[in-house]
Amino acid sequence: KTLGAALIDLKSLGHREKYLEGITGKNLGVYHAKRARSRGYVLAEIDRNNYVDDIHAINTSVETRQGLPMKEQYLQKVEHFEAEPHYKYYGILSPQGTLMAYGNLGFFGNFCGFSHLIGRRNNDGIMHLLVVDIVCRLIDEGHLNYIMYDTFFGARPGLRQFKKIVGFKPYRAKYSIQK
């Protein structure tokens, strides 16, 4: 993923306020995240094994995403998740404690990237809250240069718009992962 990598340059932002200023306005990330927060949703680092049923419910909550049928791997219920080294697992919890969205984030040297980012479709802004709050945490921690969410131009229009709303931009990336 080198051409059109969807990245947020965390180091150039320096502090969360600069990130949030760039995604403030009607129908941008801060607006939707604030709406979700006002409805009682919160971000939490999770152990996926505590949410096996919720994850399956999320994965099977709609038949198509981005105009395509859900991949078979999402339709099969996983009974136990192995925690991968160098990964963190985040979720958006409802006021009742139900997992509504989740994101798996791999850490690789000076950047991290989403391997999964999926939620229930409820128009409450939960996906925006998930991404915005994770990015703010990463900026606050100050250890990484970039966060990646796949590619920008390879995404269907709806997903490309979502990436733009929460602050991702297309970059030409050159990187290597060393052991």
Side-chain angles (χ1 to χ4, degrees):
K1 304 194 191 303
T2 58
L3 292 177
L7 300 174
I8 296 175
D9 184 344
L10 302 170
K11 277 294 187 210
S12 74
L13 293 169
H15 53 86
R16 75 168 47 210
E17 290 77 20
K18 188 170 180 184
Y19 166 64
L20 295 172
E21 287 169 9
I23 58 168
T24 298
K26 182 85 167 139
N27 288 326
L28 291 178
V30 170
Y31 171 83
H32 294 292
K34 183 178 178 182
R35 185 177 57 183
R37 211 175 278 110
S38 74
R39 293 177 177 167
Y41 296 103
V42 294
L43 175 74
E45 194 168 337
I46 63 168
D47 176 343
R48 296 173 298 164
N49 290 306
N50 294 334
Y51 298 97
V52 167
D53 292 333
D54 287 345
I55 289 171
H56 183 67
I58 290 166
N59 292 348
T60 58
S61 62
V62 294
E63 292 180 9
T64 62
R65 290 185 187 263
Q66 299 302 311
L68 300 172
M70 286 298 291
K71 292 180 182 176
E72 190 64 30
Q73 72 186 48
Y74 286 98
L75 302 177
Q76 304 302 315
K77 185 174 183 179
V78 176
E79 296 292 340
H80 179 77
F81 294 97
E82 291 296 325
E84 297 291 332
H86 309 293
Y87 270 77
K88 288 186 179 181
Y89 306 96
Y90 294 96
I92 294 295
L93 301 175
S94 74
Q96 297 77 30
T98 303
L99 185 70
M100 300 298 290
Y102 67 94
N104 304 342
L105 197 58
F107 292 80
F108 313 101
N110 70 346
F111 79 98
C112 65
F114 285 107
S115 65
H116 291 88
L117 191 64
I118 188 169
R120 296 178 197 244
R121 187 171 298 153
N122 69 1
N123 296 319
D124 281 350
I126 58 175
M127 297 305 293
H128 304 84
L129 180 61
L130 180 63
V131 173
V132 168
D133 279 8
I134 288 172
V135 171
C136 285
R137 280 187 182 196
L138 294 172
I139 292 169
D140 292 347
E141 291 169 2
H143 303 300
L144 300 172
N145 294 346
Y146 303 95
I147 182 171
M148 182 170 71
Y149 182 12
D150 203 30
T151 60
F152 198 84
F153 300 116
R156 294 195 169 267
L159 184 54
R160 190 176 320 134
Q161 181 63 21
F162 173 77
K163 290 176 184 185
K164 186 187 282 187
I165 286 170
V166 294
F168 287 92
K169 296 177 182 167
Y171 285 83
R172 181 178 178 133
K174 196 172 182 181
Y175 57 91
S176 63
I177 299 175
Q178 301 171 357
K179 291 185 178 189

